[in-house]
Amino acid sequence: MELSEQNVKKQRPVHLDLQTIRFPATAIASILHRVSGVIMLFAVGVLLWLLNASLKSPESFQYVQSLLDSFLLKLIVWGILTVLGYHLLGGLRHLVMDTGRWEELASGKASAKAVFVLAIIFSILAGVWVW
């Protein structure tokens, strides 16, 4: 092993306390974008089930309509819309970054914070629409 490899290994931390690490806004935005994508994967199943159930017969349509009046399903639909909105905004941010813009630290932080604010506004609007 070369001397430089030994120095690199000695400089690496042995134990990382993940509870004390503060992630920057850019990292949080990226992680939430990935998490929202996974959540949407399961949300598509819920939405397809609701669509399928509503198209079977007039009685099943009435059943789905009554389900949509329940607090729990309204909460689920609101959550799905919130996740979809965040994922869309985060995806647009990533697309702009792929063009070479917003890659500097200051503009990256600003775009991440803008996505958070817009996602909160979208979530509030989706909540008003669902309820």
Side-chain angles (χ1 to χ4, degrees):
M1 195 172 351
E2 295 180 21
L3 184 61
S4 63
E5 289 179 30
Q6 290 175 346
N7 288 339
V8 169
K9 286 187 178 184
K10 286 182 182 179
Q11 292 174 355
R12 291 183 180 165
V14 177
H15 172 66
L16 288 176
D17 187 5
L18 296 177
Q19 294 177 344
T20 61
I21 295 176
R22 301 250 328 141
F23 288 108
T26 53
I28 294 169
S30 182
I31 291 167
L32 286 176
H33 183 256
R34 293 170 191 223
V35 169
S36 67
V38 172
I39 292 171
M40 281 188 351
L41 178 69
F42 294 103
V44 166
V46 172
L47 295 175
L48 285 175
W49 175 78
L50 286 170
L51 178 64
N52 182 47
S54 70
L55 296 175
K56 281 183 180 178
S57 67
E59 293 80 22
S60 63
F61 179 79
Q62 291 295 332
Y63 174 70
V64 170
Q65 211 169 21
S66 69
L67 281 178
L68 287 171
D69 288 334
S70 72
F71 176 78
L72 181 62
L73 201 59
K74 283 184 180 184
L75 186 66
I76 290 170
V77 169
W78 173 74
I80 290 172
L81 289 174
T82 298
V83 168
L84 176 65
Y86 180 82
H87 193 76
L88 177 68
L89 293 167
L92 291 173
R93 177 180 174 265
H94 281 290
L95 283 174
V96 171
M97 290 175 66
D98 286 344
T99 66
R101 296 174 181 87
W102 299 345
E103 289 186 341
E104 296 79 29
L105 185 60
S107 59
K109 282 183 180 179
S111 66
K113 290 177 182 178
V115 165
F116 294 148
V117 169
L118 290 172
I120 290 170
I121 291 169
F122 181 83
S123 178
I124 291 169
L125 292 173
V128 168
W129 182 65
V130 168
W131 273 285

